[in-house]
Amino acid sequence: MGVSITNFGRSGLHDWMIQRASAVILAVYSVFLLGFFLTHPDLQFSEWKALFGHLGFRIFSLLALISVCAHAWIGLWTISTDYLKATGIRFVFQAAYVIALFVYLVWGIEILWGV
Amino acid sequence: MLVSVYRYNPETDKKPYMKDYQVEIPEGKDLMVLDVLALIKEQDESLTYRRSCREGVCGSDGLNISGKNGLACVTPLSEAVKGGKLVLRPLPGLPVIRDLVIDMSLFYKQYEKIQPYLINDQPAPAIERLQSPEDRAKLDGLYECILCACCSTSCPSFWWNPERFVGPAGLLQAYRFLADSRDTATQDRLANLDDPFSVFRCRGIMNCVNVCPKGLNPTKAIGHIRSMLLHKEI
């Protein structure tokens, strides 16, 4: 029926699945960070650096970053197709968030592996 | 009692307006909103609205009653009057033809899209296609829909995308045929619902459940459709 070339996945089901999976990953990541802060009341830079020096945590962080990008793409695409009825404005908005998410992703990778 | 009614005649009015009527309500009776419309019609014959069975079966008199969609014939004043005032507007989100009458073409177009009829590629039996009582029970809560459009016109996703989102009424019926043991087109039906709009524009806010005059649950049916799509793809 309705098709789209600007949504994230190949189908509505695909988008829906990714949005839910990414939400779970982000929730787990947030709870982990919250737990880390609670167990380190006097957090020092060295401890913070050590956390990000661990390969497992870098992978976890990258997974969370990719999840943010996918989740935001799907969410913003939904909002744009609900509220932006003029095709030109909608396209500019969609292009803007896709580029912004790409920048965040590359920048985030550089930060994670630049520690 | 004060009744404020949405009025719009595209032939004479530049834009819609609200008109106030004073209506004498008989003592000791809890009239239905439709009865009040009949009393207003006695005062002002130009008021236009749809009605037919006046007992919640035909689904003609869906209105926005003091802010909530419902059937005028089965909504008592005791539920509808707020602060001594009754406010009647057409169902939101679809074009107004005149006063309280809306153009339901898009609503019916979405209904047509889900193929609301039994499809079976097997030769027809001599008498009828049999169904076990258990399979028949799966259709309860689905077949009762009267297509009054109270649910779909209370749904923001349907307001913003009425051409592409099937809407709660259509999706309830889509599941009614997906769940039917006698239907053999399940895979084709699912394939037609897989895009980002038809089913997945539902955000699960349950406005549809809140307003359904028959007490049905389209959100639950949509959840079942999602599960069926998921089982098909995993």
Side-chain angles (χ1 to χ4, degrees):
Chain A
M1 289 186 188
V3 288
S4 178
I5 54 163
T6 49
N7 69 314
F8 186 77
R10 290 161 295 120
S11 70
L13 180 69
H14 193 207
D15 274 10
W16 181 78
M17 190 72 189
I18 288 178
Q19 206 175 24
R20 265 131 198 91
S22 59
V24 171
I25 291 165
L26 290 172
V28 173
Y29 191 75
S30 304
V31 170
F32 177 87
L33 273 187
L34 186 69
F36 183 79
F37 287 131
L38 288 175
T39 51
H40 295 76
D42 302 316
L43 186 62
Q44 299 299 314
F45 180 70
S46 56
E47 291 168 294
W48 188 240
K49 196 164 185 283
L51 175 68
F52 280 87
H54 196 281
L55 180 66
F57 189 71
R58 281 184 192 171
I59 292 172
F60 191 19
S61 298
L62 181 60
L63 187 64
L65 186 58
I66 292 170
S67 296
V68 167
C69 294
H71 200 88
W73 184 320
I74 295 165
L76 289 169
W77 179 81
T78 305
I79 292 168
S80 71
T81 48
D82 266 354
Y83 297 106
L84 302 177
K85 293 301 173 191
T87 311
I89 296 172
R90 188 168 68 242
F91 180 76
V92 169
F93 178 76
Q94 290 173 345
Y97 69 65
V98 169
I99 290 168
L101 291 172
F102 179 72
V103 170
Y104 289 149
L105 181 64
V106 175
W107 192 7
I109 292 169
E110 177 161 314
I111 291 170
L112 284 171
W113 267 268
V115 176
Chain B
M1 186 182 68
L2 181 65
V3 187
S4 184
V5 185
Y6 178 102
R7 300 298 311 268
Y8 179 54
N9 180 350
E11 287 172 9
T12 55
D13 303 328
K14 276 202 178 118
K15 57 179 186 179
Y17 60 99
M18 299 301 290
K19 188 170 179 183
D20 288 348
Y21 296 91
Q22 277 296 335
V23 184
E24 289 299 317
I25 304 296
E27 286 284 321
K29 270 192 169 179
D30 194 10
L31 293 187
M32 295 295 172
V33 171
L34 184 62
D35 301 326
V36 176
L37 278 170
L39 291 172
I40 296 172
K41 184 92 174 169
E42 284 176 11
Q43 292 179 28
D44 181 352
E45 286 190 339
S46 70
L47 177 67
T48 306
Y49 56 92
R50 285 194 183 110
R51 49 89 70 203
S52 181
C53 77
R54 52 103 189 102
E55 56 184 2
V57 174
C58 73
S60 304
D61 62 352
L63 293 179
N64 185 272
I65 303 164
S66 295
K68 186 180 174 186
N69 290 357
L71 295 179
C73 55
V74 293
T75 305
L77 286 183
S78 56
E79 272 177 30
V81 177
K82 283 168 188 161
K85 189 179 173 187
L86 179 66
V87 183
L88 301 177
R89 295 172 188 271
L91 290 175
L94 290 174
V96 173
I97 295 172
R98 179 173 164 161
D99 294 343
L100 301 173
V101 176
I102 53 165
D103 178 359
M104 291 172 66
S105 306
L106 277 171
F107 177 79
Y108 293 132
K109 191 184 138 199
Q110 294 300 342
Y111 180 56
E112 187 184 5
K113 233 161 74 172
I114 59 101
Q115 298 180 293
Y117 38 81
L118 195 79
I119 301 172
N120 192 312
D121 53 13
Q122 306 294 314
I127 299 174
E128 60 192 342
R129 294 189 195 281
L130 295 176
Q131 194 171 37
S132 70
E134 292 75 26
D135 282 338
R136 168 60 189 79
K138 288 176 189 165
L139 310 183
D140 289 340
L142 304 170
Y143 79 90
E144 298 94 330
C145 172
I146 56 173
L147 296 174
C148 64
C150 284
C151 60
S152 290
T153 58
S154 71
C155 174
S157 290
F158 188 73
W159 296 341
W160 310 146
N161 289 290
E163 300 90 0
R164 304 218 263 179
F165 174 51
V166 173
L171 290 170
L172 187 84
Q173 289 314 298
Y175 183 61
R176 180 248 171 276
F177 288 97
L178 285 168
D180 196 317
S181 62
R182 300 162 298 177
D183 193 280
T184 56
T186 308
Q187 295 309 314
D188 292 340
R189 289 179 186 278
L190 287 175
N192 282 337
L193 294 170
D194 195 23
D195 65 277
F197 281 96
S198 299
V199 174
F200 289 99
R201 193 40 63 113
C202 168
R203 316 310 299 173
I205 64 168
M206 300 177 85
N207 273 17
C208 50
V209 182
N210 189 35
V211 299
C212 178
K214 310 299 273 186
L216 308 179
N217 191 335
T219 307
K220 194 173 161 191
I222 293 167
H224 287 309
I225 297 175
R226 281 196 186 121
S227 302
M228 289 180 86
L229 283 165
L230 205 56
H231 282 288
K232 186 165 97 85
E233 296 294 331
I234 284 182

